[in-house]
Amino acid sequence: MSIINLENVTVDFKQKKGNVVKAVQDVDLQVEKGDIYGVVGFSGAGKSTLVRTVNLLQKPTSGSIEINGTQFIKDGKQVISNKDLQLERRKIGMIFQHFNLLNETTVFDNVAFALKHSKLSDDELEKRTLELLDLVDLKDKADFYPAELSGGQQQRVAIARALANKPDILISDEATSALDPQNTVQILDLLKSLNQKLRLTVILITHEMDAVKRICTKVAVMEHGVIIEKGDLKQIFLHPKEELTKRFVGGSLETISTLESLNLGTLGDNKAVYQLVYSIANVTKSIIIELYKEIGVEASMLYGNVELLNGEAIGTLVVEVKGDPEKQKQAQEFLNKQDVTLTRLDEKGRLYD
């Protein structure tokens, strides 16, 4: 059973001139308990708007929303009472790009603030707050003020506060966007650790593909308010179907930069560039050497990269293949038979028309 079930969710925004902007269009999304689900796309794709419907911070124009077995929205209408909604929202924590801490109060009080409506005694509240700070490795900073902490430490305080009421779901809305690379990695690793320790379901909203690759188990790619591709992370990355997904996969943006710098010129009929993305565990031979042996074409490596996809090594290789049209056809057929995702590129690293 899905802990999050969005069906046909649409969010319209009416502008002053009467125009309607469809921020989210007829989206279905199911998230299983324990998932780290990445929702990725460029700015304006609608990802934050979509995920804010999970706790009705953004009410949908139409569609149905069920969270943790409780129906929030049915056919566009709220069916949960506002009182019950407030209780359900406590089971959904949120962290943001800007930490939203109370600057005039200590780290301890920032976290304790989230427990002010609980029925805990003063001693229990203190114990719970210190447990939360210990969980994010900040117990020794309890008496510090936010301004005395680094950005990464401030985000840890925000995470501790979001976990105060023992939520089932944690929504991270671009929570690493304002951090440097080192702090970004530390926060992502913390989210993965919390997912494992607490069986916490995490939704990671981001435009940074490296964040998705590092910790997510599943991913949805959004463009213009629509989910264009979704599913298991490895499956999506090794077998992408949509152009935007292919651009994200295997360091394609780095590929574009590399090929532009090489200035290959017009490729023509006798020269082609291919991007290969593959699981290193499944590749035991040199593809370039085998291509030469089998087809007799010259293949030059233009770009290569290996990165971890949720702990598994994934390789990206961009090669230039020289040969007449018949040899090019044979080369494509050979590569398609290998356990790789094959994408033909133009001289600037874009998808070949």
Side-chain angles (χ1 to χ4, degrees):
M1 179 178 174
S2 301
I3 192 171
I4 297 171
N5 187 23
L6 309 182
E7 295 182 354
N8 307 120
V9 169
T10 293
V11 179
D12 294 339
F13 291 128
K14 292 184 179 180
Q15 297 180 318
K16 289 182 179 179
K17 296 182 179 180
N19 298 330
V20 175
V21 175
K22 288 191 174 295
V24 176
Q25 301 181 55
D26 199 29
V27 164
D28 289 337
L29 184 67
Q30 288 73 42
V31 179
E32 303 296 323
K33 184 171 178 60
D35 280 344
I36 304 180
Y37 208 121
V39 181
V40 67
F42 294 123
S43 297
K47 52 191 186 296
S48 291
T49 301
L50 171 67
V51 175
R52 284 167 65 90
T53 66
V54 168
N55 54 9
L56 296 196
L57 289 180
Q58 175 62 58
K59 292 186 178 180
T61 306
S62 61
S64 298
I65 298 172
E66 184 180 293
I67 308 298
N68 228 351
T70 300
Q71 193 83 50
F72 284 14
I73 299 286
K74 182 69 173 177
D75 298 328
K77 296 182 180 179
Q78 182 173 325
V79 294
I80 188 174
S81 69
N82 288 331
K83 181 180 178 181
D84 287 342
L85 177 60
Q86 290 301 318
L87 294 174
E88 292 296 327
R89 278 177 172 166
R90 294 184 187 180
K91 301 175 185 177
I92 306 171
M94 289 194 76
I95 54 174
F96 305 91
Q97 178 180 352
H98 304 293
F99 321 121
N100 298 335
L101 300 181
L102 303 170
N103 292 322
E104 304 303 319
T105 63
T106 64
V107 165
F108 179 94
D109 289 334
N110 264 278
V111 177
F113 181 78
L115 293 165
K116 69 176 184 176
H117 294 303
S118 70
K119 297 179 181 180
L120 299 177
S121 67
D122 289 345
D123 287 345
E124 290 171 334
L125 188 146
E126 180 180 1
K127 180 182 178 182
R128 174 64 179 157
T129 301
L130 291 175
E131 285 175 348
L132 288 163
L133 289 174
D134 193 35
L135 194 60
V136 299
D137 199 25
L138 282 181
K139 192 174 181 179
D140 61 332
K141 306 291 185 183
D143 295 327
F144 282 54
Y145 287 84
E148 299 177 280
L149 304 180
S150 68
Q153 289 172 329
Q154 290 186 56
Q155 191 59 279
R156 286 173 181 267
V157 177
I159 291 171
R161 184 181 58 190
L163 297 176
N165 290 295
K166 300 182 180 180
D168 301 308
I169 299 165
L170 180 64
I171 297 172
S172 169
D173 190 355
E174 298 281 9
T176 61
S177 295
L179 302 178
D180 60 47
Q182 181 178 356
N183 277 308
T184 292
V185 167
Q186 290 175 356
I187 292 299
L188 291 172
D189 288 349
L190 175 60
L191 292 177
K192 185 171 183 178
S193 174
L194 293 170
N195 162 261
Q196 294 171 343
K197 286 180 182 177
L198 307 177
R199 283 291 290 163
L200 187 67
T201 302
V202 179
I203 302 179
L204 188 73
I205 307 168
T206 183
H207 63 275
E208 299 168 338
M209 218 56 194
D210 286 343
V212 173
K213 293 175 185 177
R214 187 171 185 87
I215 67 168
C216 290
T217 54
K218 295 178 183 175
V219 61
V221 182
M222 287 195 73
E223 185 178 31
H224 305 312
V226 177
I227 290 181
I228 60 172
E229 201 159 356
K230 62 183 176 180
D232 177 79
L233 180 67
K234 182 179 176 182
Q235 182 67 24
I236 292 293
F237 270 77
L238 291 182
H239 305 287
K241 297 182 177 68
E242 301 297 326
E243 179 175 347
L244 179 62
T245 312
K246 289 178 180 178
R247 283 177 59 85
F248 276 135
V249 165
S252 293
L253 298 179
E254 289 85 352
T255 301
I256 290 171
S257 176
T258 300
L259 294 189
E260 285 181 341
S261 69
L262 291 175
N263 194 22
L264 296 175
T266 304
L267 294 177
D269 294 333
N270 296 323
K271 192 163 58 173
V273 173
Y274 300 99
Q275 176 178 271
L276 288 66
V277 181
Y278 52 93
S279 172
I280 288 179
N282 294 335
V283 176
T284 58
K285 299 177 181 178
S286 170
I287 295 174
I288 291 181
I289 293 174
E290 292 299 312
L291 183 60
Y292 178 76
K293 287 181 178 179
E294 293 289 329
I295 312 299
V297 295
E298 178 186 344
S300 304
M301 187 175 77
L302 303 177
Y303 171 88
N305 185 38
V306 176
E307 57 190 336
L308 292 179
L309 193 65
N310 196 16
E312 180 176 352
I314 300 294
T316 300
L317 196 63
V318 178
V319 297
E320 180 185 62
V321 177
K322 296 178 181 178
D324 59 40
E326 180 58 31
K327 289 290 187 182
Q328 292 288 348
K329 181 181 177 182
Q330 293 176 22
Q332 286 194 52
E333 290 173 349
F334 171 81
L335 291 171
N336 277 320
K337 290 178 182 178
Q338 310 306 307
D339 195 7
V340 302
T341 297
L342 179 68
T343 305
R344 187 171 179 180
L345 306 175
D346 68 11
E347 63 273 8
K348 293 188 179 295
R350 301 166 302 197
L351 291 182
Y352 184 84
D353 292 329

